[in-house]
Amino acid sequence: MTNIKKDNTEEKILSAAQTVFIRKGMDGARMQEIADEAGINKALLHYYFRSKQQLFNATFESLFSKIIPNVMRMVQSDQPIEVKLEFFIENYIDVLMKNPFLPTFILKEIHQDPEFLEGLIRSSGLEPKKVVEMFKNEIEKGTIRTMDPRDLLISILSLIIFPIASKPLLSLLFFDDDPKSYNEFIEKRKVTVKEFVLHSILIK
Amino acid sequence: MTNIKKDNTEEKILSAAQTVFIRKGMDGARMQEIADEAGINKALLHYYFRSKQQLFNATFESLFSKIIPNVMRMVQSDQPIEVKLEFFIENYIDVLMKNPFLPTFILKEIHQDPEFLEGLIRSSGLEPKKVVEMFKNEIEKGTIRTMDPRDLLISILSLIIFPIASKPLLSLLFFDDDPKSYNEFIEKRKVTVKEFVLHSILIK
DNA sequence: AAATAGTTTAACCAAATGGTTAATTTTTGT
DNA sequence: ACAAAAATTAACCATTTGGTTAAACTATTT
């Protein structure tokens, strides 16, 4: 084995960096705090990643890939739209609930540096055009009503992502700041969102 | 007139602080940058607002009140649900499009300090329970199908807010990074979202 | 017009922060 | 076992940053 120690430390750093960057954002995070979180000396951060910016980029890439659920295969299958939709929604809500701070973190940093995105998207295996294409086919088949397929996809993403991204606000406004109550709500949403969308688009 | 100068400077500071805080966030913003933006000496910031934290709080409160559209009167009117919905959606999209960076900014800072929210919400005139109540009434009247009214409200907010909060991402993914194309899309959304929601909830 | 109070500024300061260096320890190849 | 390479650390450093101070300037009061 070439370098068991190296990999280990690098992973520890990345994991610690994720924790701290998500909690504090790029500007709020401190290199010392990341080092403490990883249980190593601060100089090691620079030894492995040169600068804060590069550590952040590596962290961001790793985090970004996390919120891209592995659903492309399903999208391109020949299951009926109801099944695809259910799979997509449940899968995505699960991913986000395991990382509820991710959407806001990513949205924020994206606002600060939009250019950085392009490469990430290309290399992530994310193919929104394929999803749009799928909806277009359904419209042509006549299973769902006529509408801009981009609109439909964006609406579905909105219904999934926003309630999780705004957890602290919603929790306070509608769930008496009770985590259990909020989590139940999101869990139920897997069904609710599916029904909400299907009611809206299916031709009955 | 007691102090024409004082009011003027204070407003200049707050306006500059809004610009910089929205652009950079609490941690990324620099007092010197705010002073420059306002065209004054940095010490004046502390003269008027004591600390960065207090300046931020004042700024945040002012910004938060901006994204609370003035729709409570409409909600409590006896217009049919279609009209209320249309008014709410158009009004809210307009507010957000004038301040597209606000949702993300607020979401981010809220994650960092959820407790700060409670007082703000109370003093803002925002009454989500009243809106929830309205939907409950419609369900009882039988105009819309049975569902958790909180779910419905949160879904509507999602459909309005998320596509604007994630502007850079969507712009890149679906609109070739062309602002005009994206803006047209959002403008059309006023109708799209209304139809999407009505299709989903109305009993036909 | 002189005294007083309020506003604004330039010059400073201490603490924090990202980053570096040189020395030490650990691992690897022979 | 030993030398070379890699990994890790403690001690520093230069810069940045929020915040202060004392002096200057402006408006107000009497």
Side-chain angles (χ1 to χ4, degrees):
Chain A
M1 192 147 285
T2 44
N3 45 13
I4 195 169
K5 215 170 201 175
K6 186 183 175 196
D7 285 353
N8 235 329
T9 319
E10 199 166 324
E11 271 166 39
K12 267 197 295 182
I13 292 177
L14 259 164
S15 163
Q18 289 186 8
T19 307
V20 176
F21 276 132
I22 287 180
R23 198 162 53 210
K24 303 284 181 70
M26 163 64 170
D27 294 317
R30 299 287 151 242
M31 293 298 267
Q32 186 60 58
E33 194 180 348
I34 296 174
D36 292 347
E37 179 82 27
I40 55 158
N41 185 283
K42 178 167 70 90
L44 264 192
L45 300 182
H46 293 94
Y47 180 74
Y48 282 95
F49 294 91
R50 282 197 69 86
S51 68
K52 187 185 184 184
Q53 186 62 53
Q54 281 189 47
L55 174 57
F56 178 79
N57 289 354
T59 307
F60 190 90
E61 282 180 42
S62 154
L63 286 175
F64 189 78
S65 67
K66 264 197 192 172
I67 59 152
I68 293 163
N70 182 22
V71 292
M72 289 310 292
R73 216 169 309 146
M74 188 60 166
V75 163
Q76 290 172 278
S77 76
D78 55 358
Q79 297 282 340
I81 183 77
E82 289 94 333
V83 177
K84 286 183 188 176
L85 202 59
E86 180 172 342
F87 185 81
F88 184 81
I89 292 170
E90 287 189 8
N91 214 299
Y92 217 148
I93 288 183
D94 280 338
V95 169
L96 292 184
M97 279 306 275
K98 277 180 205 130
N99 310 275
F101 284 73
L102 265 189
T104 306
F105 169 75
I106 287 173
L107 281 182
K108 200 254 171 178
E109 305 298 348
I110 273 175
H111 269 274
Q112 226 125 96
D113 183 2
E115 289 98 27
F116 186 53
L117 258 183
E118 195 135 25
L120 277 186
I121 290 168
R122 303 300 161 212
S123 66
S124 69
L126 187 71
E127 298 187 83
K129 304 245 155 141
K130 290 248 171 82
V131 186
V132 169
E133 203 61 35
M134 181 204 80
F135 284 128
K136 209 187 275 180
N137 289 337
E138 296 291 336
I139 290 167
E140 279 160 13
K141 272 197 287 177
T143 45
I144 65 181
R145 67 180 174 85
T146 305
M147 59 194 305
D148 184 340
R150 292 174 304 182
D151 240 314
L152 177 52
L153 175 54
I154 290 172
S155 289
I156 293 171
L157 290 175
S158 301
L159 292 170
I160 294 172
I161 299 173
F162 181 79
I164 295 173
S166 58
K167 175 176 179 174
L169 184 62
L170 297 184
S171 194
L172 211 68
L173 285 179
F174 300 112
F175 305 100
D176 302 316
D177 217 4
D178 171 36
K180 204 175 294 178
S181 168
Y182 170 81
N183 283 342
E184 276 170 28
F185 169 77
I186 296 290
E187 189 60 34
K188 267 193 246 156
R189 269 227 137 209
K190 289 179 185 172
V191 178
T192 313
V193 169
K194 188 188 72 174
E195 283 179 359
F196 192 83
V197 173
L198 286 179
H199 268 105
S200 176
I201 64 173
L202 281 188
I203 293 173
K204 279 146 286 189
Chain B
M1 192 148 285
T2 44
N3 45 12
I4 194 171
K5 218 172 203 173
K6 188 184 172 195
D7 284 352
N8 233 328
T9 318
E10 200 167 324
E11 272 166 39
K12 266 197 295 182
I13 292 177
L14 260 165
S15 164
Q18 289 186 8
T19 306
V20 176
F21 276 132
I22 287 181
R23 199 163 50 210
K24 303 284 182 73
M26 164 62 171
D27 294 318
R30 299 290 154 238
M31 293 299 266
Q32 186 59 58
E33 195 180 348
I34 296 173
D36 291 348
E37 179 83 28
I40 55 159
N41 186 284
K42 179 169 70 93
L44 263 192
L45 300 182
H46 293 93
Y47 180 74
Y48 280 96
F49 292 92
R50 283 196 69 84
S51 69
K52 186 185 184 183
Q53 187 62 54
Q54 282 189 48
L55 174 57
F56 177 79
N57 289 354
T59 306
F60 190 90
E61 283 180 42
S62 156
L63 286 175
F64 189 77
S65 67
K66 262 196 193 173
I67 59 151
I68 295 163
N70 182 23
V71 291
M72 290 310 292
R73 215 169 308 144
M74 188 60 165
V75 163
Q76 289 172 280
S77 76
D78 55 358
Q79 297 281 340
I81 182 76
E82 290 93 334
V83 177
K84 285 183 188 175
L85 201 58
E86 179 172 343
F87 185 82
F88 184 81
I89 292 171
E90 286 189 9
N91 214 301
Y92 217 149
I93 288 183
D94 279 339
V95 168
L96 292 184
M97 280 305 277
K98 277 180 205 131
N99 310 275
F101 284 73
L102 264 188
T104 305
F105 169 75
I106 287 174
L107 282 182
K108 199 253 170 177
E109 304 298 347
I110 273 174
H111 270 274
Q112 225 125 97
D113 183 3
E115 290 97 27
F116 185 55
L117 256 185
E118 194 135 25
L120 277 186
I121 290 169
R122 305 297 162 216
S123 65
S124 69
L126 187 71
E127 297 188 85
K129 304 246 156 140
K130 290 247 172 82
V131 185
V132 169
E133 202 60 37
M134 182 202 81
F135 284 128
K136 207 186 278 180
N137 289 338
E138 297 289 337
I139 290 167
E140 278 160 13
K141 271 198 287 175
T143 45
I144 65 181
R145 68 182 173 84
T146 305
M147 59 193 305
D148 184 339
R150 291 175 305 182
D151 241 314
L152 177 52
L153 175 54
I154 289 171
S155 290
I156 293 170
L157 290 175
S158 301
L159 293 170
I160 293 171
I161 298 173
F162 181 79
I164 295 173
S166 57
K167 173 177 179 175
L169 184 61
L170 298 186
S171 196
L172 211 67
L173 284 179
F174 301 112
F175 305 100
D176 301 317
D177 217 4
D178 171 37
K180 204 175 291 176
S181 167
Y182 170 81
N183 283 342
E184 276 171 28
F185 170 77
I186 295 292
E187 188 60 34
K188 271 193 242 154
R189 269 228 138 209
K190 289 180 184 170
V191 179
T192 313
V193 169
K194 189 188 72 178
E195 283 178 0
F196 192 83
V197 173
L198 286 179
H199 268 105
S200 175
I201 63 174
L202 279 187
I203 294 174
K204 278 146 284 188

